[in-house]
Amino acid sequence: MAADCWQALRRPDFLRTAWPWRSVAYLLASGVSGLLLCVLLLAWTAAGAALSLLLVGLPLLLALPLAGLPFGAWERRLLRLMGAPPADPHRVPDGPGVRVWLRTRLAEGATWRESGGAALSAFLLWPLDLLAASGALVPVALLATPLLLALNGQVHVLKAAHVDSPGPAWALAAAGAVLLPAVGYPLTVLAGARAALVRMLTGAQEQVGELVRSRARLVDAFEAERRRIERDLHDGAQQRLVALSMVLGLARLDAPADGPLRERLAAAHAEADRALAELRELIHGIHPRVLADRGLPDACADLADRSPLPVRVAVALPGRLPAAVESAGWFAVCEALTNATRHSGASRVEVVGRRESGLLVLEVSDDGRGGADPARGTGLTGLADRIAVVDGRLSVSSPPGGPTLLRVEIPCPLLPDARSA
C-alpha cells in the first residue's frame, strides 16, 4: 500500500484502492470537528467576555491559546487516515506542577502554531471540508436511485423533479457510476493539501527536518565506509593473496616432483586460490567496482552474468545517478536475483530499469512459483528497509503459482554532467 495519497495518485489502480474513501472520511471528520471547535471557541469567548466584568472571565480569555493543544492532538490522530502521523512537537516540561507546564507550553512555538491552526479550522476550513466531502455523496445518492425508487415509489431530485419509473432511475444510477470515479482524484488532492497544511501547523517540523538531514548524512557516511572497505580489501588483502598464490606456484615448480613437499605446496596453492576467489566475491558484494566505475546498467549486466539463471537485462538510464541511489538500486537487483535463484524455482528472470518522473524505477520479474513472503526470511524486509533509507518504495506482487514482480521506486536527481549531456 502507498505511504501517502501522493504516491497513491501516481498508481494506475488508484481508484481501486481505499485512498479515495479515506480522503472523504478525512475531509468529513475534519469538517465535523472544525464545526464543533467553532461552536466551542465562540462559546468560550462569549463566556470569557461576559464574565470579564467579574474578573472571572479573564483566565478564560487568557487560556484561549491552549485550545490549540487538543486540536493539534486530534488532528495528528486524524492524519493517520492520510498516512503516517507527524511526531508530537511539544517537549517534556522541566519539572512537575501546573505552573511549569503552562510556562513550558506558552513558551513553545508549536503551541502558537496549533492555536493558529485551530482558528483556521474553526472559522475557515470546516465549511470547505464539508462541502468537498458532500461532493462524494452526490454520485452515491445517484447510484442509490433505483433502490430508493423501489422502497418509496418515487425519488425527488434536486427538490424540483421526481423520478417515478425505472428508466430514469437507472439512467441516474449510470450517471452516478460515471461521476463517482471522477470525484475521487480531486477529493484526494484536496485532502492531501489539507493534510500537508495540518502537518506543517501541528507536526514537529524542526525535529523532522533534523531527522531527514541526519539520515542523509548517515547514508553518505555508510556509502563512503563501504567504498573504503572495498578499496582496502582490493588493494591490500587481495593483492597479498595474489602474491602468496604466485609464490606457492613458483615453489611448486622448484619442489621435487615425487616428494611429499610438492603435494603439500599444491594443496596450499589450491587453498590460496579458493581464499582469493572468496575474497573477490566478498569485495564484489560490499561494493562492486563496476558500479562505481561504469554505473548501474553495467552493474546489473554484471549481476546477470554471475547469476546461475538466464537473466535478461534492459536497464536504460540517461546518465549517472547519485551514488546512494545507484547502490540501493544495485542492492535491490542483487537481492531479487538471489531470491529468484534460491526460493522461486524460476527458469528465467528479467530486469528492467528506467528513469521516469524523477524516479529510478527497477522491475525484476521471474516465472517461478511465487508466494514470496517477508515473514519467511526471503530478504524482502531488509530490502524494504534499505530502500526506505533513500526515500524509496518497494512493492512485490507474488501470488501463489507465480509469477513474481518486484518493483522499486527511488527518487533520483540526475548528476550535473548527466543533465548537461
Side-chain angles (χ1 to χ4, degrees), residues 294-314:
R294 304 179 62 179
L296 185 59
D298 289 339
C300 291
D302 179 64
L303 284 174
D305 293 338
R306 293 170 176 269
S307 175
L309 295 176
V311 181
R312 175 182 174 271
V313 178

Side-chain angles (χ1 to χ4, degrees), residues 206-365:
E206 293 80 5
Q207 293 91 328
V208 171
E210 181 57 30
L211 283 175
V212 172
R213 290 189 292 270
S214 64
R215 186 174 69 173
R217 292 193 296 267
L218 285 174
V219 170
D220 293 340
F222 177 69
E223 289 301 323
E225 186 66 14
R226 285 168 61 93
R227 291 183 178 227
R228 185 192 66 79
I229 294 173
E230 183 270 337
R231 183 176 60 251
D232 291 346
L233 290 176
H234 182 274
D235 298 338
Q238 180 176 252
Q239 298 305 320
R240 295 194 179 194
L241 276 177
V242 170
L244 175 62
S245 180
M246 293 179 62
V247 170
L248 290 173
L250 293 174
R252 286 178 60 189
L253 296 177
D254 295 337
D258 299 332
L261 179 61
R262 190 180 184 91
E263 295 181 359
R264 293 175 182 173
L265 288 174
H269 192 196
E271 191 66 28
D273 288 341
R274 285 193 291 270
L276 182 60
E278 291 180 1
L279 181 61
R280 284 172 175 165
E281 289 297 323
L282 175 62
I283 294 173
H284 187 272
I286 293 175
H287 195 280
R289 182 60 61 93
V290 65
L291 179 63
D293 294 342
R294 304 179 62 179
L296 185 59
D298 289 339
C300 291
D302 179 64
L303 284 174
D305 293 338
R306 293 170 176 269
S307 175
L309 295 176
V311 181
R312 175 182 174 271
V313 178
V315 179
L317 299 175
R320 293 301 299 269
L321 306 178
V325 174
E326 287 188 336
S327 179
W330 176 86
F331 184 84
V333 174
C334 182
E335 186 67 30
L337 292 180
T338 301
N339 285 342
T341 302
R342 295 179 178 177
H343 308 292
S344 71
S347 61
R348 60 181 179 83
V349 184
E350 183 175 16
V351 179
V352 178
R354 61 192 178 276
R355 185 179 182 272
E356 60 179 29
S357 302
L359 297 173
L360 169 65
V361 180
L362 293 170
E363 296 178 341
V364 183
S365 58

Side-chain angles (χ1 to χ4, degrees), residues 102-114:
L102 284 173
R103 186 169 59 248
T104 301
R105 291 294 173 259
L106 292 176
E108 289 180 322
T111 301
W112 299 99
R113 286 200 311 271
E114 289 178 341

Side-chain angles (χ1 to χ4, degrees), residues 127-176:
L128 302 178
D129 295 337
L130 292 180
L131 181 62
S134 65
L137 301 180
V138 174
V140 173
L142 292 177
L143 281 171
T145 304
L147 178 61
L148 296 176
L149 179 64
L151 294 176
N152 300 328
Q154 64 177 5
V155 179
H156 291 279
V157 180
L158 299 178
K159 298 183 180 180
H162 65 276
V163 176
D164 54 5
S165 60
W170 285 108
L172 290 175

